[in-house]
Structure formats: C-alpha cells, structure tokens
Amino acid sequence: ARRLSDRFALQGLKRTDLAEMHLPAGVQILWGSYRNVTAPVSAETSGWLPAYHGTWFYGLWSILHHGIFLESTDEGRGHEFSTPGVYVTRRFETAREYARPHQLFSDGTFYRCVVKVRYDPQEVRKQKSKGGDQVVVPSCAVVIEGVFFCANDPPMKGEERFEDWQDELEVIPYGIVPTATERLAAAPLEVAVPEAPVEAEVDAEA
C-alpha cells in the first residue's frame, strides 16, 4: 500500500467499505487522499459537487502528477465521446465499470482505479442520464480529491482487461525520466491494511 501511496502522491491508504458503492463480494477498497493538489478545494470550489472518474493504471501517474484530466476531443487519437470534455459521474459503480481491470503484478489479482473529484455544476456542458448518470465538463472545472483502488476486482465475462504490466504503455509525466525502481511493477504490491475498516473522507451523497 505504501508503494502505491508514494508512487501516486497520495496520503496513506486506508481501507474503506461504503455500502453505497454496491461492490461485488470479495472486492477490497483502499482510499488515498490526494496531496499534490494543484487546484485545492477552497472558497472558490466549495460549491462544487462530488463525483468519480474511472481510469486506467497506465495513465494514473501522469494524471496525478499534473493534477488535471485532459478532455476527450479527438476521435483520431482514440477518444470516445459524444460531447467534448471530461466525463465524470455521481455513481461510483459507473466509474468502476469504466476503470480497466488490470493484473499489475502477475499474481492473479486484478485491480481497478477510480479517481474521486469535484466538479463545477455551473460549467456542465451536458448531463447524460443514460449510461450511468454522466456529466461532461471542461478540464478547468474538475479538481482531484483522491483515488479509490479496488483490489481483487476481476473483469466480468467479455469485459476488456490487461493481463500484465508493460512499462512501455505507461504515460510518463512530462519532464520525468523514470528509474527502474520507479516503475510500478518493479516489486510485488504488499497491501497492508488495518483489520477494521476505516471510513474514507467521502461525502455521503458521493
């Protein structure tokens, strides 16, 4: 757990078990607060609403290092969208479905990552009730609060997945030349969590 905390600039991971997440049996959740906030929650963002964004581990380092989500705008680059922008959802289960299951350490265990955010309701470009209650906003209208890591969360039948980790596919933050020890899969993940679940600092309506 500490390896993930240090790698992604997160405050110490805590186990959480929130009923509203509607998780399959056996899935464990670790929550890490974002400590490298480029646009922290303040008086200007206090009215922003909580939401989630499911993503891939290959892009997570760059997202958290730079502190922003790039908008989906270019189909030629593989972006999938109906309205240009950043897609977030108020439903954790929807974000989890968009998080690509990944076997990070060749130990048979799949993980997913879901980023908790806040968005400016005044900047909503489109709200989609179909497809999991998604909201489309510009990059400047989203701030990152932390990350949920879903452990022991394998893909469903027919769901796309990554069976192993390949260094060359990771998006490296601009200006960084990673050493071998900075690679995510350089050593097995040791998830050390407290025996009793600890509630994450998450809004009840999230």
Side-chain angles (χ1 to χ4, degrees), residues 100-117:
R100 183 63 57 86
H102 201 146
Q103 188 178 162
L104 298 176
F105 306 103
S106 300
D107 59 358
T109 301
F110 281 89
Y111 302 83
R112 302 178 194 239
C113 53
V114 175
V115 183
K116 184 173 185 291
V117 303

Side-chain angles (χ1 to χ4, degrees), residues 7 44 63 82 96 121 156 182 200:
R7 174 60 144 68
E44 295 182 357
I63 290 171
S82 56
R96 177 182 158 274
M156 302 294 289
E182 288 178 314

Side-chain angles (χ1 to χ4, degrees), residues 40-195:
V41 176
S42 63
E44 295 182 357
T45 60
S46 60
W48 292 22
L49 301 178
Y52 305 97
H53 178 92
T55 189
W56 298 9
F57 277 97
Y58 282 135
L60 189 60
W61 188 10
S62 181
I63 290 171
L64 297 180
H65 178 84
H66 296 295
I68 60 172
F69 286 102
L70 296 180
E71 300 179 22
S72 295
T73 59
D74 190 343
E75 293 181 345
R77 294 185 174 183
H79 300 177
E80 297 181 3
F81 63 95
S82 56
T83 300
V86 177
Y87 284 68
V88 300
T89 174
R90 297 293 298 275
R91 297 175 55 186
F92 182 87
E93 59 267 33
T94 298
R96 177 182 158 274
E97 290 173 0
Y98 278 92
R100 183 63 57 86
H102 201 146
Q103 188 178 162
L104 298 176
F105 306 103
S106 300
D107 59 358
T109 301
F110 281 89
Y111 302 83
R112 302 178 194 239
C113 53
V114 175
V115 183
K116 184 173 185 291
V117 303
R118 284 187 178 270
Y119 71 93
D120 185 353
Q122 303 298 321
E123 294 289 338
V124 172
R125 293 174 176 172
K126 186 175 182 179
Q127 186 157 359
K128 301 170 58 179
S129 57
K130 293 183 178 180
D133 189 22
Q134 298 182 66
V135 176
V136 187
V137 293
S139 290
C140 61
V142 180
V143 294
I144 298 171
E145 290 195 330
V147 180
F148 289 101
F149 294 104
C150 307
N152 193 30
D153 196 356
M156 302 294 289
K157 183 178 180 180
E159 187 177 13
E160 295 181 350
R161 80 288 306 269
F162 290 111
E163 298 283 355
D164 57 11
W165 179 268
Q166 300 181 44
D167 284 342
E168 62 271 19
L169 296 181
E170 185 173 27
V171 180
I172 306 301
Y174 181 78
I176 290 181
V177 179
T179 64
T181 56
E182 288 178 314
R183 289 297 192 179
L184 181 59
L189 173 65
E190 296 181 359
V191 179
V193 298
E195 293 183 1

